[in-house]
Amino acid sequence: MKHLFFSILYSVILSSCNIKLSAVDIIGGDQTSRVYPSKITKCKVEVSLTDANTEINIHAKYTAKISEVNGENGSNPIFIGADSVEDKNIRYADYRVLNSSGKIVHCGNTSGDGEFNFTLNKSSDYSLIIYSYILKPNTDVANINVAVMNSPSEGLPYFVKKSFSTDNSGRSKSLNLTATLPENDNTKLNTNNSGAFNILDQIVESNLFLKQNVGSNFTNTTPLEVYWKSGLNPGSYVDGETAPAVSFFLKNNNHSRIFILGGMNGDTGVSDTDEFDNSVIIHEYSHFLLSTFSKDNSPGGRHSGVESIDPRLAWSEGFANFFQASVLNKSFYLDVVGAGGANLINLEKENGVDSPSINGEGNYREFSIARFFWDIVDSPSSDDDRHFEGYSNFKLIWDVVSSENFKSEVATSMGLFNEVQNFNFDTKNFSSLRSRHRQNSPANEFFRSLYAFQLGNDCSGQNNNLKFTQTQHPADENNILQRKRVLEYNQIRSGNVLFGLKFTETNKNIKFYIQNFRKPMNNSIEESDINYTRKSSNNADCQASNYKQCLNVNLDAGKHLIEVVLQNRIDSDLDFQFFANETQLCGENTTYETALNKPAYLNKKNVNFYKLTAPFDLDITALKHGQVVDEYQLTATFTNQNLNLDNIQLDWLHSDNIKIISGNLKEQIASAKPNQKITIKLVIKALDNLDNLDKVKIYLSSKASYKNRNFSKTLAFTLKQLINKSTKKQNLLFKTNKILKKLKNETIYY
């Protein structure tokens, strides 16, 4: 009975915290069949000019924040700050010219250097508007179709505008337009259009790179919506105003959107922002490219780069990390976090914490994948291990990931890339590079076999025993390789299947699960039991066939992935046997070519591709303190995930309308074990009256390290938001207690 109570409690809490994207915000009525909200329209001339003989010359720019890195072309780049600025050209953006009556008299795109010209009538008044979108086809930039807007519900583009007049002489006129950074935070939320133009420019740069390195005929016409607003965390579209601060890519019903982090709850000073983090922007754009030109069935989710993860996720994130480095021609990934912090990942040189330690583990490591690709394309002057030189090799990579052999498979991974490249694009021998980055697979199995071992019933000459792989991970590492075996089962036609699992060890707890809803791989039976509905058990069906675990399930025709999960860490290879309808299955006795021609099946759901995040969570609550009207106790909770972290630092920051009653503004903790929670408290007094608590601002800045890799994360709330959040939690627990009290007097059968 207590398990049922917990399930109800968990469900109630989850339903209240997880605010899904509303139909207005994410779909917008019939927007699934429409490219952009109706507020953006392609330019069309409304009034023809009769005496257009005055030439107008324009140079359009935007002011960008620049992150400075020492030794950026060497093997040890170091972030030193993000305080400098630089004017950059607004390239290929749509513009329109309006007459004094507001009618459109001219349409066009800015050029590749931000300079362009047109002719107008003499002695007239005009306005020039340059927008943060590219709808007008332009072969110079691959005919991209992209718009940077403020929100899914409003769909408003950013722009820079200039009004001017022509005189009676007909002399040419030169104008400069610059989308500038705001002078202070008070104007930032309304006028910071420079960030939108930088986001657009990174997409332009990515497509120029592809035209240069894939082929001059490269075309990318698939519509893309990008949403960014200064001071807004797009995670709030998914989980409300207290959601983690993230940038992400989302594809739904062939409708592609990128959401770029603009801050948190109106704050852009302490909070993390990404509009000038070019690595993050291009990384997220790479997810769009993979979903458009290749195949990307990553389950999505958070990733910190310092542990083994689901190989589908590792593939997607690793390729994105590589692609941003290639476009920017810099051997690192850089995400500036808040005021002075940064996540900087070196692709030239491993530091041990983000690299594999055993053969095959590279398929599970996003930076092993990124470094593998970077070693293929980097030049001799910046090459740390001197494998291959020149960007001509990028086309080989692109040809593999965009090939039908790659796209036709059930699950994408680094192992699949290696397999397709090795068998179909063998103009380059990457065997030594695969060895260096630990992407070799065991003998007699496909490159991707550590991920999905293909099953069949033709076991002639095969070993019927399947194994978990023994590895040498430290106890504190994510041991996904040791407790997981993924099997690929091909259902010839739809129908019922009884799967069974046998093993001899009496002290081992093993279950298996049919992957559904494209969940990420889990490391424990407890996690899998929560996430998967089709899971094995020990019931009457099992006992009749002497199975330790079994599952009777109706399957659609096609390929299905089955996760076999071991409860505990193993010190030696563990054998097990797997059955379908009383027939023992083994490694399929087939060839690579026949495997590629099998039908592919995978459930399709929304996919969120998040940027690199820290391996810990933060939360803040606020409750009334005692009987004093305007005193509140703030509680910050630092929750470690599954690593041994060191040098944890938590810093409270606040607006001037707060008085500290008790507690320390800075806390330092030497270490945190996996899953450990650290709680710090601060009692404050709000100096504004109770009606102005939305002007009382609370910030929490955090830092932690894992084996010399530093991570940063920030939160920003108003006191009013924190009070409302805490009140909702209290009300929720009160309602839950009423439900549990009522259930005590009822008999429930299950």
Side-chain angles (χ1 to χ4, degrees):
M1 184 71 88
K2 68 178 182 180
H3 295 296
L4 178 62
F5 282 173
F6 174 77
S7 177
I8 293 172
L9 175 63
Y10 178 81
S11 299
V12 174
I13 293 174
L14 185 64
S15 64
S16 67
C17 295
N18 191 16
I19 303 171
K20 297 297 183 186
L21 292 166
S22 68
V24 173
D25 276 342
I26 194 64
I27 302 299
D30 63 347
Q31 272 185 229
T32 51
S33 60
R34 199 167 66 230
V35 177
Y36 300 119
S38 58
K39 296 179 180 63
I40 293 183
T41 58
K42 290 186 178 181
C43 188
K44 183 178 180 180
V45 172
E46 299 171 318
V47 175
S48 299
L49 297 174
T50 58
D51 187 26
N53 55 14
T54 301
E55 184 177 82
I56 310 298
N57 298 297
I58 307 292
H59 194 177
K61 298 181 178 182
Y62 71 93
T63 303
K65 287 185 178 180
I66 305 299
S67 298
E68 297 183 58
V69 176
N70 269 347
E72 66 177 37
N73 293 321
S75 60
N76 188 31
I78 299 174
F79 172 72
I80 59 174
D83 298 326
S84 61
V85 297
E86 179 181 330
D87 284 348
K88 294 182 174 291
N89 297 318
I90 298 178
R91 301 185 290 177
Y92 302 108
D94 283 20
Y95 72 82
R96 59 185 62 178
V97 182
L98 284 62
N99 63 16
S100 58
S101 301
K103 299 295 185 180
I104 300 173
V105 298
H106 183 72
C107 303
N109 292 108
T110 65
S111 67
D113 58 7
E115 297 183 358
F116 57 101
N117 60 68
F118 45 81
T119 57
L120 300 173
N121 290 347
K122 295 185 295 184
S123 302
S124 301
D125 297 326
Y126 297 100
S127 295
L128 169 65
I129 308 176
I130 304 174
Y131 291 99
S132 60
Y133 57 75
I134 303 173
L135 304 186
K136 183 178 174 62
N138 189 324
T139 57
D140 289 345
V141 67
N143 290 322
I144 58 174
N145 190 356
V146 58
V148 181
M149 297 172 281
N150 65 338
S151 71
S153 57
E154 293 183 331
L156 295 173
Y158 297 85
F159 61 87
V160 57
K161 180 178 180 180
K162 193 175 188 70
S163 298
F164 61 96
S165 301
T166 56
D167 58 28
N168 193 40
S169 68
R171 290 193 299 267
S172 63
K173 194 178 189 73
S174 296
L175 301 173
N176 293 316
L177 280 79
T178 303
T180 59
L181 287 166
E183 295 182 1
N184 55 64
D185 285 342
N186 295 328
T187 60
K188 182 172 291 188
L189 299 184
N190 297 321
T191 64
N192 192 6
N193 50 15
S194 60
F197 284 109
N198 187 69
I199 294 169
L200 182 66
D201 197 59
Q202 302 318 304
I203 295 173
V204 166
E205 186 65 26
S206 297
N207 284 277
L208 293 176
F209 172 85
L210 289 169
K211 281 184 68 71
Q212 179 180 353
N213 292 282
V214 172
S216 58
N217 294 327
F218 175 79
T219 301
N220 183 6
T221 60
T222 302
L224 173 66
E225 302 167 19
V226 183
Y227 295 105
W228 165 81
K229 187 175 182 179
S230 187
L232 177 70
N233 169 24
S236 62
Y237 293 129
V238 181
D239 286 314
E241 63 186 16
T242 59
V246 291
S247 292
F248 58 93
F249 167 72
L250 183 146
K251 186 170 185 177
N252 181 29
N253 297 328
N254 297 318
H255 206 51
S256 299
R257 294 176 171 92
I258 291 175
F259 295 82
I260 298 298
L261 177 62
M264 193 171 185
N265 293 305
D267 176 70
T268 58
V270 176
S271 300
D272 186 10
T273 63
D274 286 342
E275 64 267 24
F276 293 107
D277 287 337
N278 298 340
S279 288
V280 175
I281 298 166
I282 299 175
H283 175 107
E284 298 306 327
Y285 186 66
S286 176
H287 292 310
F288 164 74
L289 292 172
L290 279 181
S291 70
T292 302
F293 294 96
S294 179
K295 180 178 182 178
D296 198 343
N297 50 27
S298 165
R302 298 191 304 183
H303 52 106
S304 61
V306 296
E307 54 189 334
S308 300
I309 56 177
D310 187 304
R312 297 165 297 174
L313 178 61
W315 158 257
S316 180
E317 301 303 334
F319 184 89
N321 293 333
F322 153 71
F323 183 77
Q324 65 82 28
S326 298
V327 173
L328 298 173
N329 196 21
K330 294 181 178 179
S331 61
F332 52 83
Y333 171 97
L334 175 63
D335 177 15
V336 179
V337 180
N343 292 327
L344 190 152
I345 314 296
N346 185 4
L347 298 188
E348 279 289 359
K349 191 174 183 179
E350 300 170 350
N351 69 354
V353 65
D354 57 15
S355 56
S357 59
I358 61 165
N359 288 341
E361 188 188 353
N363 289 0
Y364 294 76
R365 289 280 198 161
E366 61 178 291
F367 285 110
S368 168
I369 294 168
R371 291 184 177 112
F372 170 84
F373 286 130
W374 182 252
D375 282 345
I376 293 175
V377 303
D378 63 355
S379 60
S381 61
S382 62
D383 194 303
D384 187 52
D385 32 55
R386 299 185 182 277
H387 280 280
F388 297 94
E389 300 102 28
Y391 273 69
S392 62
N393 287 303
F394 181 87
K395 188 177 187 306
L396 170 61
I397 298 170
W398 185 264
D399 287 346
V400 174
V401 300
S402 60
S403 69
E404 288 304 315
N405 284 338
F406 187 88
K407 293 189 290 185
S408 66
E409 278 298 274
V410 61
T412 53
S413 68
M414 188 66 219
L416 176 62
F417 175 91
N418 286 331
E419 186 175 291
V420 173
Q421 187 275 322
N422 190 66
F423 282 92
N424 297 84
F425 297 85
D426 57 354
T427 56
K428 295 283 187 179
N429 185 347
F430 295 142
S431 58
S432 62
L433 201 54
R434 291 189 182 108
S435 296
R436 171 181 168 79
H437 294 288
R438 303 282 191 161
Q439 292 172 5
N440 287 357
S441 60
N444 303 319
E445 293 187 13
F446 293 146
F447 282 112
R448 60 203 150 121
S449 59
L450 273 173
Y451 175 44
F453 189 56
Q454 296 171 328
L455 295 175
N457 55 17
D458 180 6
C459 297
S460 57
Q462 301 289 315
N463 184 351
N464 295 357
N465 289 332
L466 304 173
K467 292 178 179 292
F468 288 93
T469 305
Q470 181 182 2
T471 62
Q472 294 78 41
H473 272 302
D476 63 318
E477 286 280 4
N478 179 321
N479 53 4
I480 197 169
L481 293 174
Q482 297 171 285
R483 293 158 60 169
K484 181 75 62 173
R485 190 63 159 150
V486 183
L487 310 176
E488 183 180 298
Y489 176 77
N490 190 29
Q491 178 79 345
I492 303 301
R493 59 183 63 88
S494 299
N496 209 66
V497 184
L498 175 63
F499 289 117
L501 180 70
K502 291 183 178 180
F503 52 94
T504 57
E505 286 76 1
T506 58
N507 60 341
K508 299 296 181 185
N509 188 6
I510 306 175
K511 287 187 179 182
F512 64 90
Y513 308 83
I514 310 294
Q515 277 195 358
N516 58 354
F517 306 122
R518 290 165 68 181
K519 295 283 188 182
M521 293 170 66
N522 299 298
N523 264 340
S524 70
I525 288 177
E526 290 86 353
E527 290 175 342
S528 299
D529 267 352
I530 291 173
N531 285 322
Y532 294 161
T533 56
R534 296 184 293 179
K535 52 197 174 189
S536 69
S537 62
N538 190 347
N539 55 29
D541 290 336
C542 302
Q543 295 164 11
S545 300
N546 294 318
Y547 297 142
K548 294 287 184 68
Q549 290 280 310
C550 67
L551 173 64
N552 201 326
V553 63
N554 191 282
L555 288 183
D556 293 329
K559 293 181 179 179
H560 297 265
L561 299 177
I562 301 170
E563 296 183 13
V564 184
V565 184
L566 176 67
Q567 173 68 54
N568 301 310
R569 178 185 175 90
I570 59 175
D571 299 316
S572 61
D573 287 349
L574 175 63
D575 293 351
F576 64 93
Q577 298 82 44
F578 200 77
F579 298 80
N581 291 332
E582 305 292 334
T583 299
Q584 185 170 356
L585 305 178
C586 57
E588 191 165 35
N589 188 9
T590 185
T591 63
Y592 167 77
E593 287 76 17
T594 58
L596 280 180
N597 292 325
K598 290 188 175 180
Y601 167 80
L602 200 67
N603 290 322
K604 293 186 179 295
K605 287 286 180 180
N606 294 354
V607 180
N608 287 338
F609 299 90
Y610 292 99
K611 73 169 187 173
L612 200 70
T613 57
F616 55 82
D617 296 316
L618 289 179
D619 189 31
I620 308 177
T621 58
L623 294 173
K624 288 285 285 120
H625 182 251
Q627 302 300 315
V628 183
V629 175
D630 50 2
E631 283 191 7
Y632 299 88
Q633 178 175 282
L634 306 178
T635 302
T637 304
F638 174 102
T639 304
N640 190 11
Q641 293 174 11
N642 57 338
L643 303 173
N644 281 327
L645 299 180
D646 299 314
N647 304 317
I648 298 99
Q649 181 174 314
L650 302 174
D651 294 333
W652 291 105
L653 301 168
H654 57 84
S655 52
D656 293 335
N657 48 3
I658 286 177
K659 179 181 178 181
I660 306 300
I661 304 301
S662 64
N664 297 321
L665 290 177
K666 185 185 295 289
E667 297 281 352
Q668 290 184 311
I669 301 94
S671 62
K673 295 180 179 180
N675 303 313
Q676 180 179 343
K677 292 181 181 291
I678 297 173
T679 300
I680 62 172
K681 297 183 178 181
L682 193 70
V683 177
I684 65 168
K685 181 176 182 179
L687 301 182
D688 277 329
N689 61 50
L690 296 179
D691 295 329
N692 292 326
L693 292 185
D694 56 342
K695 296 180 181 179
V696 179
K697 297 184 178 181
I698 310 294
Y699 312 101
L700 182 67
S701 175
S702 63
K703 296 180 181 179
S705 62
Y706 177 64
K707 297 182 178 179
N708 298 319
R709 167 64 55 76
N710 297 318
F711 293 96
S712 301
K713 185 178 284 190
T714 59
L715 293 179
F717 294 106
T718 67
L719 184 55
K720 185 176 182 180
Q721 288 173 329
L722 291 175
I723 294 171
N724 290 340
K725 170 187 168 186
S726 302
T727 303
K728 287 179 182 177
K729 280 189 175 181
Q730 285 185 323
N731 291 340
L732 177 63
L733 290 174
F734 176 74
K735 292 178 182 178
T736 304
N737 287 333
K738 289 181 66 176
I739 294 172
L740 297 179
K741 186 176 181 180
K742 184 179 179 181
L743 287 172
K744 283 184 178 180
N745 299 319
E746 298 182 9
T747 302
I748 299 175
Y749 300 93
Y750 61 96

